Amino acid sequence: MTAAAPTDADLIAAHASGDPHAFSELVRRHRDRMWAVALRTLRDPEEAADALQDAFISAFRAAANFRAESQVTTWLHRIVVNACLDRVRRRQARPTVPLPETGVNEPATPRDSMADRETRLVIKEALAQLPEDQRMPIVLVDVEGYSVSETAKMLGIAEGTVKSRCARGRAKLAKVLGHLRNPDALANVPTPESKRERGGRSGAQREREGR
């Protein structure tokens, strides 16, 4: 009978006790998800990779102080988000870099259908249009599935601020991504030509009716 795999908390405790392999296993388990958070937040693969490296170094050094007051993944997310915020502050005066479809450091993902790939690209581009202060709460709450309370703790802001920023961000996303929810909407919008055509038919009908 094989032994049960250690939990994340077990790995943190083992690392703090001097196990040289425990933290590497923790990184292996969660690197892809942490990468996704960093990439969605920073929109630049090189910046995201650097932020992720900074975050894991910080986590490596701070692991002994982990008190299990939250899940290990929440703790890691908080460190990754803080590393991203540091990068955002440093690059505020620099132009943003468009997010390519794939990056050199991006973990391999299964090949999806073309439609799904296009949809994800559209969503990435829409997220990229949001201001930094709105994009981060949206990524954590709507993409990663964290609660408003957890997100507030990660970002160091009030829960009401998280809610208001998410609301403003969602309103902007709704305008950009509305066609994904209702793909026939554009097809049903009358064009000037169709209006004139309908108006012409109505005029002809009125003439036949003697109006």
Side-chain angles (χ1 to χ4, degrees):
M1 184 175 179
T2 58
T7 65
D8 290 345
D10 291 338
L11 291 173
I12 287 286
H15 168 67
S17 298
D19 186 330
H21 306 295
F23 195 79
S24 296
E25 172 61 19
L26 196 68
V27 171
R28 185 194 66 78
R29 288 184 184 182
H30 301 293
R31 182 185 183 280
D32 286 3
R33 188 173 181 185
M34 299 303 147
W35 162 262
V37 172
L39 186 59
R40 290 190 186 102
T41 301
L42 294 172
R43 299 175 289 146
D44 180 343
E46 291 186 6
E47 286 276 317
D50 289 343
L52 191 62
Q53 179 175 317
D54 292 345
F56 279 132
I57 290 173
S58 296
F60 183 92
R61 293 170 176 169
N65 299 320
F66 179 70
R67 294 290 178 262
E69 295 174 353
S70 61
Q71 293 185 351
V72 172
T73 51
T74 303
W75 175 72
L76 285 174
H77 268 77
R78 185 180 301 119
I79 294 174
V80 171
V81 168
N82 285 336
C84 290
L85 286 171
D86 287 341
R87 293 261 159 192
V88 168
R89 295 186 190 104
R90 292 177 204 166
R91 74 173 192 182
Q92 279 180 341
R94 288 158 43 194
T96 57
V97 180
L99 179 66
E101 184 174 342
T102 58
V104 174
N105 298 306
E106 187 171 358
T109 55
R111 179 172 293 181
D112 296 313
S113 68
M114 184 62 70
D116 288 343
R117 290 169 64 87
E118 289 177 354
T119 298
R120 286 203 306 274
L121 284 174
V122 169
I123 293 173
K124 283 182 180 179
E125 291 172 359
L127 283 170
Q129 295 179 33
L130 295 178
E132 303 282 358
D133 64 338
Q134 293 174 16
R135 185 169 64 254
M136 285 190 173
I138 288 284
V139 167
L140 291 172
V141 175
D142 292 343
V143 179
E144 294 299 319
Y146 283 95
S147 68
V148 169
S149 175
E150 290 170 328
T151 300
K153 290 177 182 177
M154 288 184 199
L155 298 178
I157 57 180
E159 292 184 21
T161 304
V162 173
K163 292 178 181 177
S164 63
R165 290 180 181 179
C166 282
R168 292 198 299 271
R170 287 169 188 150
K172 293 176 182 177
L173 289 176
K175 294 179 181 178
V176 178
L177 301 175
H179 65 284
L180 295 179
R181 182 176 298 178
N182 183 15
D184 296 327
L186 293 178
N188 294 329
V189 176
T191 63
E193 290 77 9
S194 64
K195 288 181 179 179
R196 286 196 296 270
E197 195 173 307
R198 283 200 299 272
R201 284 199 300 269
S202 298
Q205 289 173 352
R206 284 195 297 269
E207 287 179 8
R208 286 196 297 270
E209 293 170 0
R211 295 178 183 174

